[in-house]
Amino acid sequence: MNRFVLLLSALVACWISEDAFADAPDVTPSETAKDAAPTTPTLTKPPALTSFVEATYPAEAEAAKLEGSVVLALTVTASGEAKDVEVIQAAGHGFDEAALAAVRQFKFTPAEVDNEPAPVRIQYKYDFTLKAEEVTPPIAQEEVPSGRLVGRLVIRGFRKPLAGVEVSLSTGAKTYSDGDGRFEFPEVPAGKVIIKVSDADHEDFESEEDVLQGQETDVTYYVERETFDDAVVVVGKRIKKDVVRRTVQIAEIRLIPGTNGDALGVIQNLPGA
């Protein structure tokens, strides 16, 4: 059921019912002073609505998203009931009938004329407005302390960046290293977290890091290669060496003094022999 904005209009006119003076005694001119001014009834207390009845919003008007206002005239009796209700400004679309049915059930505190309960005629404006759709605000989630974790993967022994390698955290977050071997996790719950690096051509490894709240942790990992597809060729130089040869003729042997023509003696006399 829609809740409507209901406005009690200002008291436009009050008519005192003739019934209020039906029992008044007849007064002859002879019983009054000739110079006495005629008395006019005075409204000393207006009626006040005490029991409001909500009107049923017309289904067709609600489906068409229509709103409207109906102005009615009614008599508030000396006992506070709504009588003789009629529409003086219609709105159509079923609003008039709904307003009439609701206002006829209203209850008031009686009006007073010259401090005595008396019936009065008033106007009442009944506004039909669609209820605004209630938007449920999202439940505020408790902020979890977090930090930033960045790093770089390098091939051990080559110091080349390792690109396209999966890097995952124990929290379930996952990313891949870029062309420079770098990776990052913008928000990581503060505390200890395990980083795992996985690649088919390199050895998998895990490392535990301590992430501090509101701070950035920067790490560099040197990843060991598991297999080598490149052939390695080792090139060495031959040892350089010098060779010296000496030749002695037989004629020279015979001329060497102290050898008596002995060839072996000649060799023994050579330097270094």
Side-chain angles (χ1 to χ4, degrees):
M1 177 66 65
N2 289 313
R3 180 177 181 87
F4 311 109
V5 177
L6 305 172
L7 300 175
L8 179 61
S9 66
L11 187 61
V12 176
C14 291
W15 294 275
I16 308 304
S17 172
E18 293 180 359
D19 295 338
F21 306 98
D23 298 331
D26 294 333
V27 180
T28 62
S30 60
E31 297 175 338
T32 61
K34 293 182 180 180
D35 298 333
T39 59
T40 302
T42 302
L43 179 68
T44 55
K45 181 181 177 182
L49 182 62
T50 59
S51 178
F52 169 80
V53 176
E54 187 174 359
T56 302
Y57 209 101
E60 294 184 1
E62 185 177 13
K65 306 295 184 183
L66 297 178
E67 298 181 344
S69 298
V70 182
V71 179
L72 307 102
L74 65 144
T75 298
V76 179
T77 67
S79 60
E81 296 181 352
K83 296 294 183 180
D84 303 327
V85 184
E86 62 178 338
V87 176
I88 60 175
Q89 183 177 325
H93 304 288
F95 291 127
D96 304 337
E97 295 78 5
L100 281 169
V103 172
R104 285 172 179 150
Q105 304 176 63
F106 282 5
K107 299 294 181 183
F108 296 84
T109 57
E112 292 184 3
V113 176
D114 294 333
N115 298 317
E116 294 292 335
V120 293
R121 190 78 173 165
I122 65 170
Q123 288 186 9
Y124 186 88
K125 182 181 179 184
Y126 204 122
D127 290 335
F128 291 84
T129 57
L130 292 169
K131 182 181 179 181
E133 296 183 0
E134 295 183 0
V135 179
T136 304
I139 299 176
Q141 298 182 351
E142 184 178 355
E143 185 177 354
V144 178
S146 61
R148 177 183 172 89
L149 178 62
V150 298
R152 186 168 184 257
L153 302 180
V154 178
I155 303 176
R156 186 173 184 179
F158 293 86
R159 295 189 177 275
K160 294 182 179 179
L162 188 56
V165 175
E166 179 183 289
V167 182
S168 58
L169 302 181
S170 54
T171 59
K174 182 186 298 185
T175 188
Y176 291 87
S177 58
D178 61 15
D180 293 329
R182 300 187 178 279
F183 62 88
E184 67 174 275
F185 294 94
E187 292 187 6
V188 181
K192 295 188 180 301
V193 63
I194 297 177
I195 303 178
K196 183 177 181 180
V197 178
S198 302
D199 184 65
D201 296 332
H202 299 81
E203 295 183 0
D204 296 347
F205 76 94
E206 295 182 356
S207 177
E208 183 180 79
E209 303 296 343
D210 194 6
V211 178
L212 302 180
Q213 179 182 353
Q215 297 186 22
E216 179 180 280
T217 302
D218 193 347
V219 295
T220 301
Y221 297 126
Y222 296 89
V223 183
E224 194 79 40
R225 294 197 61 174
E226 191 172 59
T227 59
F228 290 90
D229 297 330
D230 300 330
V232 178
V233 179
V234 178
V235 179
K237 294 183 179 180
R238 295 181 62 182
I239 299 175
K240 182 180 180 180
K241 58 180 181 179
D242 296 328
V243 179
V244 179
R245 293 182 174 84
R246 296 181 182 275
T247 303
V248 180
Q249 301 293 330
I250 294 177
E252 293 177 345
I253 292 174
R254 291 176 178 175
L255 297 175
I256 295 175
T259 60
N260 297 321
D262 185 1
L264 183 57
V266 173
I267 294 175
Q268 290 176 343
N269 291 330
L270 291 176

